[in-house]
């Protein structure tokens, strides 16, 4: 790790936005780190990774790149940027080249796919139905807060589930993973398998939901801080 403290760049999940990182950002600021929460476009893996790569190119100094859930696929594709010194996957999956989300779930956790997602009027966009949001995404949050997150969610292009990376940054960059053991949105089996395949040290929060960055911001920030400071 560089002697210069890196900037932490956070990449959010689908059906979400950068505000979900608010608690993590506050915790990292208290620990003296510079942070940027990127606005993930959610238009497809190739598009979103190109957007992130352009953002990274504008940053001076080293970067620790952090992805939540689908954000893990985005940092896998874009994380080969020369200023990226480490990758952190939070309730995320680490796809290999040519491997989509749908491929991983079908192979490791059949029946736990995206069947309960709702197609919007735009046709190729998906969202989490509000009545299912607390159970699928935020079971360890206060129900009122879970419904706030449901109301704030952004639809995601369906191709984020089917597009595949052309590069796998975790093959060349040090990587860490936080696995959410009670996740109903991204099967823990997928999280564990892809992290272990990458040789990433795993921290598991067995009772954490998919919304761990909101429900457990201190635990998430502690892992990121340890990676960024070389602890």
């Amino acid at each position: 790790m560089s002697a210069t403290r890196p900037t932490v760049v956070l990449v959010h999940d689908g059906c979400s936005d950068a505000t979900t990182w608010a608690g993590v950002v506050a915790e990292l600021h208290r620990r003296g780190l510079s942070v940027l929460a990127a606005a993930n476009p959610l238009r497809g893996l190739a598009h979103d990774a190109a957007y992130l790569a352009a953002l990274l190119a504008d940053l001076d100094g080293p970067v620790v790149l952090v992805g939540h859930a689908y954000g893990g696929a985005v940092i896998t594709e874009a994380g080969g940027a020369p200023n990226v010194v480490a990758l952190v996957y939070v309730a995320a999956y680490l796809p290999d080249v040519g491997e989509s989300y749908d491929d991983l779930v079908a192979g490791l956790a059949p029946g736990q796919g995206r069947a309960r997602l709702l197609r919007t009027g735009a046709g190729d966009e998906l969202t989490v139905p509000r009545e299912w949001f607390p159970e699928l995404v935020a079971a360890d949050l206060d129900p009122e807060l879970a419904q706030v997150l449901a109301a704030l969610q952004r639809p995601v292009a369906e191709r984020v589930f089917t597009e595949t990376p052309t590069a796998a940054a975790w093959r060349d960059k040090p990587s860490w993973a936080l696995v959410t053991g009670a996740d109903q949105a991204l099967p823990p089996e997928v999280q564990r398998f892809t992290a272990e395949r990458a040789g990433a040290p795993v921290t598991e929060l067995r009772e954490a939901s998919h919304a761990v960055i909101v429900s457990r911001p201190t635990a998430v920030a502690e892992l990121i801080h340890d990676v960024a400071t070389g602890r």
Side-chain angles (χ1 to χ4, degrees):
M1 194 71 67
S2 169
T4 302
R5 276 200 167 190
T7 298
V8 175
V9 176
L10 307 169
V11 182
H12 65 79
D13 186 16
C15 299
S16 180
D17 66 19
T19 62
T20 54
W21 289 110
V24 174
V25 172
E27 292 283 352
L28 292 173
H29 281 171
R30 292 186 191 105
R31 291 163 170 78
L33 291 173
S34 297
V35 187
L36 173 62
N40 190 356
L42 308 183
R43 297 298 85 200
L45 181 56
H47 180 282
D48 299 345
Y51 177 90
L52 178 59
L55 183 153
L56 294 172
D58 285 339
L59 295 178
D60 294 325
V63 170
V64 170
L65 200 49
V66 184
H68 176 222
Y70 163 63
V74 179
I75 71 171
T76 292
E77 176 77 4
N83 56 339
V84 174
V85 296
L87 306 168
V88 181
Y89 292 83
V90 179
Y93 59 104
L94 294 68
D96 206 347
V97 173
E99 186 176 64
S100 71
Y101 171 90
D102 280 356
D103 294 334
L104 283 165
V105 172
L108 294 167
Q112 294 190 50
R114 47 191 174 91
R116 284 194 271 187
L117 295 182
L118 178 68
R119 192 173 301 278
T120 70
D124 67 342
E125 291 186 338
L126 300 170
T127 189
V128 180
R130 293 194 186 187
E131 64 270 22
W132 286 109
F133 196 94
E135 177 183 338
L136 288 178
V137 179
D140 59 349
L141 286 176
D142 178 90
E144 289 187 3
L145 178 54
Q147 287 298 340
V148 170
L149 295 179
L152 292 172
Q153 68 175 305
R154 291 169 49 211
V156 61
E158 187 169 14
R159 57 185 169 272
V160 306
F161 297 100
T162 59
E163 288 188 347
T164 64
T166 61
W170 50 261
R171 290 190 172 276
D172 302 306
K173 303 290 175 85
S175 302
W176 285 259
L178 188 153
V179 170
T180 41
D183 200 319
Q184 297 298 311
L186 177 58
E189 298 92 332
V190 173
Q191 299 178 45
R192 291 189 200 102
F193 169 78
T194 57
E196 290 169 0
R197 177 180 63 180
V202 172
T203 299
E204 180 157 351
L205 299 180
R206 294 192 178 276
E207 297 181 358
S209 76
H210 192 68
V212 65
I213 63 174
V214 180
S215 64
R216 315 283 182 92
T218 300
V220 174
E222 284 175 350
L223 173 59
I224 297 168
H225 176 262
D226 287 350
V227 171
T229 57
R231 293 190 177 181

